[in-house]
Amino acid sequence: MTFSVVVVDDQALVRRGFAMILRVHDDIEVEAGTGLEAVEAARRHRPDVILMDIRMPGMDGIEATSRILQEADWVVRVLILTTFDPDEYVYKALRAGASAFVLKDIPPEQLAPAVRTVAEGGALLAPSITRRFIDQFAERRSVTTAVAGRLKRLTDREREVGVAVARGASNAEIAEHLCIGAATVKSHVSSILTKLGLRDRIQIVIFAYESGLIEAGDHNVGH
């Protein structure tokens, strides 16, 4: 399977470096663009994955991610590139709809597998890592009535599954804890995504914190 990738970074050397690494893999096509061209590049090439830098002049990666995902009528996933350890910029990008993030010093041999994983809808980071990162910033935010109100769309079982996802549990762990089949867990996760209009498990984690479904620091799947 061939994946179309757009690389977005305002530094030409960085952009071309990532493009060069990806072009040696025959299952990945690359179209590179700058930050200001990100939205237009997405419209023109309809990529499967966008490698998106965050800190760029003119239009940062958070705004570009939000615009692209709002307009997209195809499945596109955003993989955030950052020079720094995950910070609030990355958190905001994930809230805007990005699916994952990697540091720019990622070993070259790991970049293509990361793109494939994201393109196929997989989790690039272990749920526990994602949860700890989001936990760091979610505790600063108050629950909003609008977000909390969306919880009414979920059944009691879906809420239980959502809480477990937010606590970093895998489908197998959720199945064992709730004494249901793994296929049933997968079905519940899919239903949660559909009902709440979310893209992936990371979005479920963020929603769980911001809706008050789970509180920062609450990590025990067994509670």
Side-chain angles (χ1 to χ4, degrees), residues 151-221:
L151 285 173
K152 297 178 181 178
R153 303 176 189 176
L154 304 181
T155 65
D156 289 342
R157 178 61 87 185
E158 287 167 350
R159 289 192 185 199
E160 288 182 305
V161 172
V163 166
V165 170
R167 288 171 174 160
S170 66
N171 282 3
E173 291 170 334
I174 296 172
E176 180 179 1
H177 173 59
L178 297 180
C179 299
I180 57 179
T184 301
V185 174
K186 186 175 181 181
S187 177
H188 283 314
V189 171
S190 177
S191 180
I192 292 170
L193 293 173
T194 300
K195 287 183 177 181
L196 299 179
L198 306 176
R199 292 178 175 271
D200 48 38
R201 293 175 77 95
I202 286 181
Q203 300 300 305
I204 293 178
V205 177
I206 294 173
F207 175 83
Y209 278 111
E210 297 193 338
S211 66
L213 183 61
I214 187 173
E215 296 182 357
D218 184 3
H219 302 155
N220 192 340
V221 177

Side-chain angles (χ1 to χ4, degrees), residues 95 141-150 209-212:
R95 290 182 71 242
R141 301 177 181 279
S142 59
V143 174
T144 63
T145 303
V147 175
R150 294 165 63 190
Y209 278 111
E210 297 193 338
S211 66

Side-chain angles (χ1 to χ4, degrees), residues 1-21:
M1 183 179 295
T2 299
F3 299 118
S4 176
V5 182
V6 167
V7 181
V8 182
D9 196 296
D10 63 311
Q11 297 182 33
L13 185 61
V14 173
R15 184 174 69 243
R16 292 168 186 169
F18 279 111
M20 185 179 300
I21 292 170

